[in-house]
Amino acid sequence: MMKKQVMKIMTLGALALGLMGCGQGKDNDQKEIGIIQYAEHQALNDSREGFLEGLAEGGLKDGEKIKVDYQNAQADQSNLNSIAQGMKGRKDLVFTIATPAAQAALNADKETPTLFTAVTDPEAANLVKSNDHPGTNASGTSDRAPVEKAVDLLLKINPEMKTVGMPYNSSEVNSEIQFTAFKEYAESKGLKVEAQTVTTTNEVQSAITALAKKVDGICLPTDNTIAQTIPTIGKVVKEEKVPTIGAESAHIEGCLATYGVNFKLLGRQTAEMALKILEEDADISEMPVEKANQFELQVNEEMASALGIDTEQLKKGE
């Protein structure tokens, strides 16, 4: 009899511990979302914030219906690979911010639905088979900015402009694509084009200084290395008095003007895709890559004053 009572107590105790263990984990209905961010800078932070805001507005708030695991690789490739491996097969959906993060996630996991943002050309980055028909476990939003508009703005400032340039990280495929488009359009306008490539943030100051001495105007791409060094770029172009146009709203601190992507809105746009996957069981392999659907012009009045440029001239016709 005593033996039976002891066994009964042990069984009940094990059951209680099991129930406690279940209570400490996620709810059965709670979905897990992994966020892999390549680096720490304003555009990528805005993308993440917009994504979470969009999910919350769609009824998926962190800590309630979803559990978010956010990790930032701080621009370190080995960190990125470790994070991606750590999330493999453990999430209902993975959200990646910037091309290197998306590439790492897809190299590690070819099953979990993976959304990306802050990627210029997903097809060229081998994230999808085509932008219209992804055919992989990935889709998302492109941050490709209208470089043609940036060139037009420079010509509006100075119709006599002869040479324009772009600094970019030559190891980022998204930046190579933007430079090619910039060069093609600028040359079609009769402009000479100069490139100044970098591979790390430590090279940016000397690179932008060298470029500023050779050109009449500069266009910046949506490039992680450039984005991390905007204050440095702003200081140099102000001293050299070279009008500079940025490709995203977060560039405004170091530019005369920006015409491009609002990354918070882009994050929200990606959240709409996530809601379809999580709530409607949409097939990500059949979801076309979406482009940024809103671009905005911003003008840095302080920079304009330092360069002696009439901002009304820039805003005219916008």
Side-chain angles (χ1 to χ4, degrees):
M1 185 72 176
M2 180 68 73
K3 217 177 212 183
K4 286 184 180 179
Q5 286 179 331
V6 170
M7 288 296 292
K8 188 175 181 181
I9 290 168
M10 288 176 66
T11 302
L12 289 171
L15 180 60
L17 286 170
L19 289 170
M20 286 173 63
C22 290
Q24 288 172 349
K26 66 168 189 165
D27 294 337
N28 288 335
D29 294 334
Q30 194 180 52
K31 294 181 179 178
E32 292 204 3
I33 297 178
I35 297 180
I36 305 176
Q37 183 170 322
Y38 172 61
E40 185 76 24
H41 62 74
Q42 192 60 53
L44 304 191
N45 292 342
D46 285 349
S47 296
R48 184 184 75 251
E49 290 171 12
F51 181 74
L52 292 173
E53 287 174 6
L55 288 181
E57 287 179 10
L60 300 183
K61 187 175 180 181
D62 185 21
E64 295 179 5
K65 289 190 175 181
I66 60 170
K67 181 180 179 182
V68 173
D69 176 10
Y70 162 62
Q71 298 192 49
N72 191 316
Q74 301 298 341
D76 185 291
Q77 189 63 44
S78 61
N79 285 348
L80 204 53
N81 294 337
S82 296
I83 292 168
Q85 285 292 341
M87 289 191 185
K88 180 180 179 180
R90 299 180 181 179
K91 309 297 176 186
D92 294 288
L93 181 141
V94 173
F95 174 54
T96 62
I97 310 174
T99 302
Q103 289 173 325
L106 291 177
N107 284 339
D109 186 346
K110 302 190 184 304
E111 299 293 332
T112 304
T114 302
L115 283 171
F116 50 74
T117 195
V119 173
T120 302
D121 191 333
E123 188 175 339
N126 295 316
L127 303 177
V128 295
K129 292 179 180 177
S130 78
N131 291 328
D132 291 332
H133 303 284
T136 68
N137 59 312
S139 188
T141 54
S142 166
D143 65 358
R144 188 161 192 158
V147 292
E148 300 83 3
K149 188 69 176 179
V151 174
D152 290 344
L153 283 172
L154 286 176
L155 288 172
K156 185 182 285 189
I157 296 163
N158 177 12
E160 302 303 313
M161 193 168 284
K162 303 295 183 188
T163 306
V164 294
M166 177 179 282
Y168 67 95
N169 187 330
S170 55
S171 66
E172 287 195 27
V173 62
N174 57 302
S175 303
E176 290 275 9
I177 290 164
Q178 289 172 85
F179 175 72
T180 299
F182 164 72
K183 185 174 186 291
E184 183 178 335
Y185 185 75
E187 288 181 342
S188 77
K189 293 290 183 178
L191 297 167
K192 180 183 177 184
V193 176
E194 294 281 352
Q196 197 73 42
T197 61
V198 297
T199 54
T200 69
T201 55
N202 294 333
E203 299 171 2
V204 171
Q205 184 167 356
S206 59
I208 198 72
T209 300
L211 184 62
K213 293 182 184 300
K214 296 189 286 186
V215 301
D216 303 311
I218 292 172
C219 291
L220 302 181
T222 53
D223 175 302
N224 291 299
T225 306
I226 297 301
Q228 289 174 285
T229 53
I230 286 297
T232 298
I233 291 171
K235 183 179 178 182
V236 171
V237 298
K238 184 184 285 187
E239 288 174 355
E240 298 291 336
K241 296 193 178 301
V242 178
T244 300
I245 308 297
E248 59 190 67
S249 54
H251 284 171
I252 193 63
E253 179 186 352
C255 293
L256 167 65
T258 63
Y259 189 87
V261 179
N262 179 314
F263 278 87
K264 185 165 279 193
L265 293 179
L266 196 64
R268 284 175 170 268
Q269 191 175 337
T270 320
E272 292 175 9
M273 299 178 74
L275 288 165
K276 290 176 184 176
I277 294 166
L278 295 170
E279 299 285 83
E280 301 172 23
D281 202 27
D283 182 354
I284 194 168
S285 70
E286 296 298 323
M287 297 177 73
V289 173
E290 297 183 14
K291 297 177 182 177
N293 53 28
Q294 291 186 53
F295 298 101
E296 58 184 9
L297 173 70
Q298 290 183 300
V299 177
N300 183 331
E301 299 287 350
E302 183 183 339
M303 181 71 79
S305 178
L307 300 181
I309 292 172
D310 180 6
T311 59
E312 291 306 313
Q313 184 183 4
L314 271 174
K315 297 172 185 176
K316 190 176 179 181
E318 296 303 323

